[in-house]
Amino acid sequence: LGGCSAGSDGYKSQVVLACVIEWNVRHFLNRRDRKLAARTWWSLYVPHLRVGDIIGTSDNTKASKLIRHYTGGGPISHVALYVGGDSIAEAVWPRVRQRHADSYILTDTLSSFVILRPKPSQHKLDLDALVGEAAFYSPSLYSLTAAAGVVLPHVRILATRDAIICSELVTRAYRRGGIDLCPSLSARAVSPNLICSNREVLEDVTRECSRKLSSEQRSAIAGRRSITRGMEMLTLPWRWVRVVIW
């Protein structure tokens, strides 16, 4: 009888543990769903985008807050360029990259974004030249030193000449296309906020070029991100081993 009693107690403890785990999982998922429902997520509406459209974004990370604070306190900390073919060109660490436009601005930390394009009254933009200039810088590295140089000119000279920052990429591409967004400044001294605040040249097309995501889409995105973060955590020790070995 004593053996049966011990076995019964062990079974009960396993059931209790399983119930506790299930409750925690359900609580986590319900809390996540409540957070998703409280947010409004947006994505780019690719059919309405045009080559040369500028996408300005910011989020709640410390890096974004620092950039906004030290570049005049505006709402934007990053700019990217739509180059056609469902592709966005942007200068981010560690180098310039292109990503699918339909996967852009799908982040739960996004605090604001804007989509801008040249006004019809402006000089016609040479789209081939603009796309070619963006492609020219595609292998370039991103420079944190150059980013700091936007507000600290004496630091700018320390940055690698081949490196580039997001606002510099957009400024150079537009100048090659025939429109100078900031005529009085060098491309490396232009900040994301300066570009997005130039409403003499650019007009806001955010409403027609973006769409709100449904709760099902938000949940699917959150699920994929959870899996991605889990895989990153699993591979983290191996990545550190590779760093040590090499």
Side-chain angles (χ1 to χ4, degrees), residues 78-100:
H78 177 70
V79 285
L81 193 63
Y82 182 66
V83 293
D86 192 23
S87 293
I88 299 287
E90 59 180 353
V92 293
W93 192 88
R95 64 176 64 248
V96 177
R97 68 176 181 182
Q98 289 196 10
R99 59 186 292 190
H100 291 296

Side-chain angles (χ1 to χ4, degrees), residues 3-240:
C4 291
S5 177
S8 177
D9 290 341
Y11 174 75
K12 289 180 180 177
S13 63
Q14 290 179 9
V15 171
V16 171
L17 179 61
C19 290
V20 171
I21 293 174
E22 182 181 1
W23 183 88
N24 279 280
V25 170
R26 288 181 180 274
H27 177 70
F28 169 77
L29 293 176
N30 290 334
R31 185 176 62 180
R32 188 197 69 182
D33 291 341
R34 286 197 300 270
K35 288 183 177 180
L36 288 174
R39 295 190 181 104
T40 302
W41 286 19
W42 299 84
S43 69
L44 298 177
Y45 187 48
V46 179
H48 286 183
L49 288 175
R50 298 180 188 174
V51 176
D53 283 355
I54 299 171
I55 301 99
T57 62
S58 65
D59 54 39
N60 293 322
T61 61
K62 291 183 179 179
S64 177
K65 291 178 180 179
L66 285 172
I67 292 172
R68 283 179 281 160
H69 176 75
Y70 287 107
T71 56
I76 302 301
S77 62
H78 177 70
V79 285
L81 193 63
Y82 182 66
V83 293
D86 192 23
S87 293
I88 299 287
E90 59 180 353
V92 293
W93 192 88
R95 64 176 64 248
V96 177
R97 68 176 181 182
Q98 289 196 10
R99 59 186 292 190
H100 291 296
D102 56 5
S103 67
Y104 204 77
I105 314 180
L106 299 177
T107 172
D108 51 357
T109 60
L110 188 70
S111 61
S112 64
F113 73 94
V114 64
I115 305 170
L116 304 169
R117 72 169 51 130
K119 291 181 177 180
S121 59
Q122 292 298 313
H123 174 73
K124 184 175 175 58
L125 191 64
D126 188 337
L127 301 181
D128 291 335
L130 179 142
V131 173
E133 187 74 0
F136 174 78
Y137 287 102
S138 59
S140 300
L141 295 174
Y142 180 82
S143 173
L144 291 173
T145 307
V150 172
V151 292
L152 299 172
H154 59 281
V155 175
R156 197 180 307 154
I157 59 175
L158 302 176
T160 306
R161 287 188 177 183
D162 296 336
I164 197 168
I165 58 177
C166 63
S167 49
E168 181 182 2
L169 175 67
V170 173
T171 302
R172 290 187 183 277
Y174 257 75
R175 284 179 178 175
R176 179 66 67 177
I179 295 179
D180 196 343
L181 297 174
C182 300
S184 61
L185 295 173
S186 68
R188 185 156 284 192
V190 176
S191 70
N193 270 314
L194 278 177
I195 292 176
C196 294
S197 62
N198 188 352
R199 298 308 171 88
E200 294 183 3
V201 176
L202 303 171
E203 63 178 353
D204 191 336
V205 292
T206 306
R207 186 178 296 274
E208 65 183 84
C209 294
S210 61
R211 58 181 177 178
K212 191 182 297 185
L213 296 180
S214 66
S215 58
E216 292 79 9
Q217 290 173 313
R218 297 198 300 268
S219 298
I221 293 166
R224 289 198 299 268
R225 288 186 173 173
S226 298
I227 295 173
T228 303
R229 291 192 185 103
M231 294 301 295
E232 289 177 350
M233 292 300 295
L234 289 174
T235 58
L236 185 60
W238 168 242
R239 282 185 285 171
W240 277 109

